[in-house]
Amino acid sequence: AELGYWIGPAHQGQGLVTEAARALLRHTFADLGLHKVIVGCLRENVASRRVIEKLGFRLVGEQRDHAFRDGRWWDHLLFELCADEQAAQSG
């Protein structure tokens, strides 16, 4: 499965994405029985990377010049979380 999220500027910085993603991950692993979730963000998106790391995802790679937007190329970071890692965090 792949996790993705967007939140408007008026609601950023309130922990809403982290809270919603935690609930979704619990459901994904406990109720749906899925094995792995991936998520990514642009290298420059520090807030998104902070959310990803709080959720316990591990960095697995970097895709250089992955997306062209606003007149330039952006690097993309890819993370993953397996069911056993999430269970150990919930402990």
Side-chain angles (χ1 to χ4, degrees):
E2 183 173 2
L3 174 64
Y5 49 82
W6 291 262
I7 191 163
H11 304 288
Q12 293 174 1
Q14 299 175 35
L16 298 173
V17 171
T18 304
E19 181 181 344
R22 272 199 184 108
L24 182 66
L25 289 171
R26 279 192 303 272
H27 176 66
T28 297
F29 293 123
D31 301 331
L32 299 179
L34 296 182
H35 176 68
K36 183 191 294 188
V37 177
I38 62 170
V39 65
C41 68
L42 298 179
R43 173 179 288 290
E44 289 83 355
N45 191 339
V46 176
S48 187
R49 185 171 183 171
R50 196 169 28 242
V51 167
I52 292 166
E53 290 171 346
K54 279 184 205 175
L55 295 169
F57 282 84
R58 161 179 58 79
L59 179 65
V60 293
E62 174 186 354
Q63 298 167 298
R64 291 192 58 239
D65 295 343
H66 181 71
F68 189 81
R69 188 168 62 195
D70 300 326
R72 65 168 277 209
W73 286 100
W74 299 83
D75 295 344
H76 184 258
L77 302 176
L78 182 63
F79 299 81
E80 67 183 18
L81 180 66
C82 291
D84 61 336
E85 296 168 313
Q86 196 270 343
Q89 292 172 25
S90 300

